[in-house]
Amino acid sequence: MSTTRSTLRRRTLTLLLAGIAAVVTALGFGTPAFAVTHASATTQLRNAGISWVSSGNCSDRNTPTCTSFEGIRQATIDGIITFKRASGCAITITGGTETGHSSGTYSHWNGYKVDIAKTACVNNWINSAYTYVGYISGWGYQWRAPSGNLYTDEGNHWDILYYTCGC
């Protein structure tokens, strides 16, 4: 099978699954939006082949140079795992629930967001699979997935807001 056909099938399947996930979540049948521990999150990420880095070599949620997953929503963990599987890209998380990010309901601290490293694969996937929204002043260039999740190019990384576990 040609690479183009394989890519097209993978993207079609991803869009179909994201649509189903959005409907299931809207109807209240989705994965609960409960928070998980850092240990649970790291186990799930490691098992999915997702890595993470910390400029401070730590995981203390109250230290901005750490990368913590304490209090991250299960839907956010499921979302980044879904993104990795759908895109086929290597994923490195550079920010989680640690202090130092913007506040608000849909914030890193509240477990709705992760930051990931920019790579050619990630950039190409987001640009081709999602709908360009535009430039959001003070944030960056933004794309919306069929699930409603938002991917914002913040210059040196992608900021991802997971409303649902779809990508």
Side-chain angles (χ1 to χ4, degrees):
M1 180 183 314
S2 75
T3 304
T4 303
R5 186 176 294 164
S6 176
T7 300
L8 183 58
R9 282 186 181 177
R10 185 175 67 208
R11 286 183 179 165
T12 301
L13 180 59
T14 298
L15 293 173
L16 177 64
L17 292 175
I20 291 169
V23 170
V24 166
T25 301
L27 293 174
F29 301 119
T31 304
F34 61 89
V36 299
T37 65
H38 181 82
S40 174
T42 57
T43 297
Q44 292 178 68
L45 294 169
R46 189 176 297 110
N47 289 342
I50 296 173
S51 62
W52 57 94
V53 295
S54 163
S55 60
N57 274 336
C58 51
S59 62
D60 180 357
R61 187 173 196 203
N62 296 303
T63 303
T65 56
C66 295
T67 297
S68 176
F69 302 117
E70 191 64 41
I72 198 164
R73 297 169 63 246
Q74 183 62 51
T76 303
I77 294 296
D78 293 342
I80 194 64
I81 291 170
T82 300
F83 178 80
K84 181 192 186 313
R85 290 179 180 154
S87 68
C89 299
I91 303 296
T92 302
I93 297 175
T94 60
T97 60
E98 65 280 349
T99 191
H101 299 280
S102 298
S103 61
T105 301
Y106 298 107
S107 64
H108 283 272
W109 183 264
N110 289 336
Y112 285 88
K113 289 183 161 194
V114 292
D115 291 339
I116 65 171
K118 291 175 79 173
T119 66
C121 183
V122 169
N123 297 349
N124 291 337
W125 175 262
I126 291 170
N127 282 283
S128 64
Y130 303 146
T131 302
Y132 180 64
V133 175
Y135 180 76
I136 310 302
S137 182
W139 296 101
Y141 298 93
Q142 196 169 78
W143 284 258
R144 183 180 312 277
S147 61
N149 298 325
L150 295 173
Y151 294 74
T152 305
D153 180 346
E154 293 190 338
N156 63 353
H157 67 273
W158 285 97
D159 176 273
I160 308 172
L161 169 55
Y162 284 108
Y163 294 110
T164 71
C165 59
C167 67

